Amino acid sequence: MPESGPIIRVEHISKMFMLHHRQISLRHEAKAALLSLLRRGKTTTPPPFYALQKVSFNIHAGESVALMGRNGSGKTTLLRVMTRIMRPTTGHVTVQGRFTALIGLGAGFIPTMSGRENIYLNAAIHGVPPKETDKIIDDIIAFADIGKFIDSPVKDYSSGMNSRLGFSVAVHILPEIIFLDEVLAVGDMAFQQKCIQRILKMKSEGKTIVFVSHAPEAVRLVCERAIWLDEGRLVMDAPVEEVLTAYQQKYGGQRHKVGGL
């Protein structure tokens, strides 16, 4: 582990959501009204749901860390808190350095703007001025490999084209930290291999990587350390093989769900 201090600090993070049950028909509404009368007008409020519960850890510069867990374990919520998309209910997160987040590739694109225009917009959002984007835009377009569609509105793109362009923009704006959520679950096999090679290149350059993936093989390839979440709680923080082994021992044949949403 590098000798410098952590560049990501997650301190006692909890995230609470209030669950609201929507009535879906007049019959349900009538039933709810009758229950309310029987309870003499008293209404019941569903208890809050904690997606994260007092999660703490540090990540140092140059580390590659996997977030693992079953569906609904809190990984994507944690990534959203770490990247400031979402505020924690309690606790603090500190991230030092320029970062980019791939949480739903292409999610930040404006549909009526062209791919080229969205490249400049997304780069600017991440602090890269147009003159600097001019120097890398050809590389971004070449990596995305969407041909003449680069000057068409993004609303006309397929999901695969959105994915390729989103990934290409994110990895070319020279981030110090990159947050990846299920980026290998989209696109064709050739694009997935291209993503892996680019991620490994960034790793070799000393970038800090926080990686969520469905594939244990990809986790092994990219990361040395893994953080296992279960029902919003941190279960284990250890070298990848130790965590994968413990996960397998607990869930057996469900190992393929490592890294689920």
Side-chain angles (χ1 to χ4, degrees):
M1 179 181 295
E3 294 182 0
S4 60
I7 62 171
I8 301 175
R9 297 178 184 269
V10 175
E11 302 174 282
H12 308 293
I13 289 298
S14 293
K15 180 60 182 179
M16 181 187 75
F17 294 97
M18 296 302 298
L19 301 180
H20 300 284
H21 298 296
R22 293 181 295 176
Q23 304 299 333
I24 59 174
S25 68
L26 289 174
R27 185 166 64 103
H28 282 86
E29 290 180 2
K31 182 178 178 181
L34 177 59
L35 288 174
S36 178
L37 287 173
L38 293 175
R39 293 168 182 156
R40 297 181 181 178
K42 294 181 180 179
T43 59
T44 58
T45 302
F49 168 72
Y50 279 88
L52 297 170
Q53 301 188 57
K54 298 181 180 179
V55 175
S56 297
F57 58 86
N58 293 328
I59 296 176
H60 289 72
E63 281 196 285
S64 298
V65 181
L67 297 183
M68 294 170 39
R70 305 177 78 192
N71 292 348
S73 62
K75 300 178 304 305
T76 296
T77 299
L78 178 56
L79 237 60
R80 290 180 181 275
V81 170
M82 294 170 72
T83 55
R84 303 168 191 163
I85 295 173
M86 187 180 288
R87 291 184 179 182
T89 304
T90 60
H92 301 279
V93 172
T94 304
V95 179
Q96 299 177 350
R98 178 188 289 176
F99 67 84
T100 186
L102 281 76
I103 306 176
L105 294 179
F109 292 157
I110 295 179
T112 55
M113 294 174 62
S114 71
R116 189 184 302 272
E117 291 169 329
N118 271 291
I119 290 172
Y120 280 96
L121 176 62
N122 274 259
I125 290 171
H126 286 90
V128 181
K131 288 184 178 180
E132 292 299 315
T133 305
D134 288 339
K135 299 175 184 177
I136 58 175
I137 191 166
D138 289 342
D139 292 335
I140 293 172
I141 294 171
F143 190 97
D145 192 22
I146 59 174
K148 63 182 180 181
F149 289 97
I150 192 63
D151 291 306
S152 298
V154 168
K155 66 181 180 180
D156 297 331
Y157 287 13
S158 66
S159 59
M161 292 164 64
N162 265 286
S163 299
R164 293 199 296 275
L165 186 59
F167 185 91
S168 187
V169 173
V171 299
H172 281 89
I173 60 172
L174 305 179
E176 298 167 272
I177 306 165
I178 183 164
F179 297 92
L180 306 168
D181 186 16
E182 304 294 355
V183 298
L184 301 182
V186 294
D188 56 28
M189 186 64 68
F191 175 68
Q192 292 175 13
Q193 290 298 322
K194 200 173 183 179
C195 288
I196 280 286
Q197 293 305 313
R198 184 68 188 194
I199 293 168
L200 292 176
K201 183 176 185 293
M202 297 179 74
K203 177 180 177 179
S204 70
E205 294 169 348
K207 308 298 184 185
T208 304
I209 299 171
V210 181
F211 184 57
V212 174
S213 172
H214 277 293
E217 295 76 15
V219 169
R220 286 189 178 96
L221 187 62
V222 174
C223 303
E224 296 85 27
R225 174 183 165 199
I227 293 171
W228 173 10
L229 297 176
D230 186 37
E231 295 185 351
R233 295 183 177 89
L234 194 154
V235 176
M236 191 174 182
D237 181 353
V240 163
E241 286 302 330
E242 292 183 25
V243 178
L244 283 172
T245 298
Y247 190 98
Q248 170 69 6
Q249 289 174 347
K250 180 168 183 178
Y251 295 117
Q254 299 181 34
R255 183 172 181 168
H256 66 283
K257 291 187 178 179
V258 171
L261 294 176

